[in-house]
Structure formats: C-alpha cells, structure tokens
Amino acid sequence: MLVLLTGGTGGAKLVLGFHEETAPEDLVVVCNTADDSVVHGLHVSPDVDTIVYTLAGLIDPAKGWGIRDDTFTVLDQLQRLGNESWFRLGDRDIATHVTRTRLLAEGQPLSRVTAALCRALAVRSTVLPMSDQRVETRLSTSVGDLSFQEYFVKARWQPEVQTLRYRGMERCLPAPGVLDAIGNAAMVVVCPSNPATSIGPILAVPGVRQALRETSSRVVAVSPMVQGRSFSGPAHKLMATLGVEASVTGLAGAYRDFVDVLVIDAEDQDLQPAIEKLGVEVWATSIRMDSLDDKKRLARDLLQLSS
Ligand code: FO1
C-alpha cells in the first residue's frame, strides 16, 4: 500500500502518475480539508474533490480543479439573484456538493461521504479526508482576516500574509484509516503541495506527524518549488508563516523530523549539501509535471525508492 499526502491541483498531478503506474486499489490518498468552505449553503471540499475527479477521469485538465466541460448555469442564476459568484462552482460540481451536504446533514462523517462519492464515481483507490472534524485555514493579512478561498481565489493571493492558523485543529482527530495507513504503508509520499496550507494542516492533525516519525516505511517528500518559486500558487509566499525560508532547504527544515528523502529539481542540485546537513537524503531529478508522461515517469521513479 502506497500512502500519498496531498492538497489539490499540484499534488493531484503526482497522484495521477501513481494511479497510472500502480494498481489503483493499492493507493490511499489522504487529503487536506482545511480549504473546505460552505458556499451557497453547500459543503465544498476542494482538495478531496480535485483528487476524486482526477482519479475518476473527470477533472478539468486546463484548470486542475472542477469537472471537465462543466457549465455554469446555476452560478449565473445565483448571481442574478444577488449572490456572490467569485468562487466558480460548475453545475455538475454542484451535484457533488449537494450530495455531500445532504449526507453530512444526515449525520454521516466526511470520510464515509467521501467513500460514497468514490464508489458512485467508480474510483478504486481509497480517498481519505485528513479528518472528519471541521478545520479551517485562516490567514491574517494586510486586508484583514481571510479564509483560504477568500485569500486564494477572491484576492488572488495578493495580500501580505502575517500569520496563518488552522481553526478547530485542537478539536480534530485523524479520519478513520489515516494513522493505520501511515503505519502500514510500503512508502509514504508527501506530494508537491503547498507546505503551509495543504500539507501543513495534514501534519497538524493530532497524531499524524508522530505517526510519520514512527512509521517503519520510507517517507519521501516531493518539492512543490524550484529555484525558490512554487510551480503554481503561493507556496513560496507562505513558507515564512512556517518560520522557514522559501527554498528547498527551507522545506527540508520544515519536514526534517519525519522525511527520509526529499526529491528536488535538478536545477536546485547546488542546495543538496545544505539539505543533507539537515539529515535529509536528497534525490535531484526533473520534478516538473507538465505532461501525463512527466507524471508517470516521476511516479515510476519514486516507486523505486520503496524497494
Ligand atoms: N480555484 C480558483 O482559482 N477559482 C475558483 O473559482 C475555484 C473554484 C473551485 C470550485 C470547486 C473546487 O473544488 C475548487 C475550486 N477552485 C477554484 C480551486 C481551489 O480553490 C483550490 O484547488 C484549492 O482549494 C487549493 O488547493
């Protein structure tokens, strides 16, 4: 069993690579849920959905989120009725959120709801939310206190971020299966997702970081950045909130207590000695995943590290 810790779009590229290169049943994907939002009264779980849609072959490949060829009739009408429409929910995507919201209201935990959505969409891998309890990333910024989606989508990650917190984390538990999966994995892969807002919340779920330190399986992290800049999104901007510099060396510092190998881009190879000084093994290769072939090649190469 291969365990993947991931956020949304960046991590999903590697998740797809593994899905193509291994038996889908052998994959357990643990997703960040601290980006979850209630939008128009519906519970939206963007990272879970990005992974589920990716594994179901439904993802919009251009945007990296939402459903391919979706339409926006409901959103247009919501806007006409005076609702905000900056968070672009497509019609088919809304069907997912309506279903999730109904099942949650009926008392099912998010992990069961996610399993039901996976079954309905013929996803054969296991997709686990990091927790069944509600956690919310809040950012205190130059324009006030924002939710993750307000910062990321509405404000296009432009405001200066002073601090970041995961509201509700102290009351949360790992979802059923998360700790067992980490303990019994052949290998754990920390996907190239934002260390502050995607991987950070997963690591902060009580017990998860400890399980990663204690597992006998190899823990491998793939960098979401090259030359101090993230492939997409604000990861490099938010690393200061973790108290580390925006570089793969900073990333190694943030992950050093549980990661065995850090996979960095060949362009960052000069930083290898500094990372190794932190006690983290380094593997430098091409980590850009522009094409499906790139995703499959990186997944294939990473699979070698488990043996
Ligand atoms: N990202 C955007 O940049 N703009 C959007 O309007 C938007 C809507 C959206 C709706 C559903 C969903 O599952 C994801 C959506 N995303 C959108 C992506 C989302 O903000 C990010 O994937 C994550 O939260 C970051 O990991």
Side-chain angles (χ1 to χ4, degrees):
M1 179 181 47
L2 195 62
V3 176
L4 311 176
L5 311 186
T6 189
T9 48
K13 295 182 178 184
L14 187 57
V15 172
L16 180 60
F18 280 115
H19 187 258
E20 299 300 299
E21 291 296 320
T22 54
E25 294 78 8
D26 286 347
L27 287 185
V28 177
V29 190
V30 179
C31 299
N32 170 44
T33 55
D35 294 359
D36 289 17
S37 282
V38 174
V39 187
H40 310 302
L42 303 174
H43 184 120
V44 182
S45 200
D47 290 355
V48 169
D49 290 341
T50 296
I51 297 303
V52 171
Y53 294 157
T54 297
L55 298 177
L58 293 173
I59 196 79
D60 180 325
K63 298 202 296 264
W65 50 267
I67 293 181
R68 183 175 3 102
D69 300 327
D70 212 346
T71 48
F72 290 84
T73 310
V74 173
L75 192 71
D76 289 346
Q77 188 66 10
L78 281 165
Q79 186 179 10
R80 210 170 153 194
L81 296 176
N83 297 282
E84 285 193 297
S85 60
W86 53 266
F87 196 66
R88 308 290 300 160
L89 294 178
D91 296 328
R92 292 181 182 83
D93 191 26
I94 286 174
T96 302
H97 314 315
V98 169
T99 307
R100 174 184 294 114
T101 306
R102 175 179 64 77
L103 293 172
L104 288 171
E106 286 171 10
Q108 294 201 34
L110 187 61
S111 52
R112 288 239 315 266
V113 174
T114 305
L117 291 170
C118 283
R119 262 194 313 279
L121 297 175
V123 170
R124 286 146 68 199
S125 304
T126 302
V127 180
L128 298 175
M130 65 187 197
S131 175
D132 279 335
Q133 284 78 40
R134 191 75 206 282
V135 184
E136 196 191 351
T137 295
R138 302 291 313 182
L139 303 101
S140 73
T141 76
S142 47
V143 298
D145 186 66
L146 302 178
S147 71
F148 178 76
Q149 300 302 345
E150 285 168 334
Y151 166 73
F152 185 72
V153 178
K154 192 175 184 185
R156 297 169 194 273
W157 41 284
Q158 292 312 304
E160 286 304 312
V161 176
Q162 283 107 30
T163 56
L164 176 157
R165 66 190 193 283
Y166 311 128
R167 189 158 78 188
M169 190 60 88
E170 59 291 344
R171 288 187 305 278
C172 109
L173 295 170
V178 170
L179 296 185
D180 282 349
I182 293 172
N184 298 320
M187 179 167 70
V188 179
V189 179
V190 181
C191 289
S193 295
N194 190 319
T197 56
S198 297
I199 303 300
I202 302 177
L203 298 175
V205 174
V208 168
R209 199 171 188 122
Q210 193 60 26
L212 288 165
R213 288 189 193 125
E214 287 171 2
T215 185
S216 52
S217 63
R218 226 152 182 225
V219 180
V220 177
V222 179
S223 169
M225 61 172 65
V226 57
Q227 302 269 293
R229 280 197 69 85
S230 14
F231 289 114
S232 65
H236 56 287
K237 286 189 166 191
L238 298 179
M239 284 186 70
T241 65
L242 298 174
V244 296
E245 69 169 34
S247 71
V248 287
T249 320
L251 187 69
Y255 289 172
R256 63 186 288 196
D257 57 309
F258 64 89
V259 154
D260 299 302
V261 184
L262 181 63
V263 182
I264 63 170
D265 196 81
E267 281 184 46
D268 279 330
Q269 192 148 26
D270 54 319
L271 298 173
Q272 182 161 353
I275 299 172
E276 285 172 346
K277 265 201 196 132
L278 295 169
V280 177
E281 225 179 282
V282 174
W283 180 44
T285 182
S286 171
I287 57 170
R288 287 184 196 279
M289 290 183 282
D290 296 326
S291 67
L292 180 60
D293 275 349
D294 294 339
K295 297 169 195 167
K296 287 164 54 172
R297 194 236 352 117
L298 185 56
R300 243 187 345 264
D301 290 349
L302 287 167
L303 285 168
Q304 300 300 317
L305 294 177
S306 71
S307 45

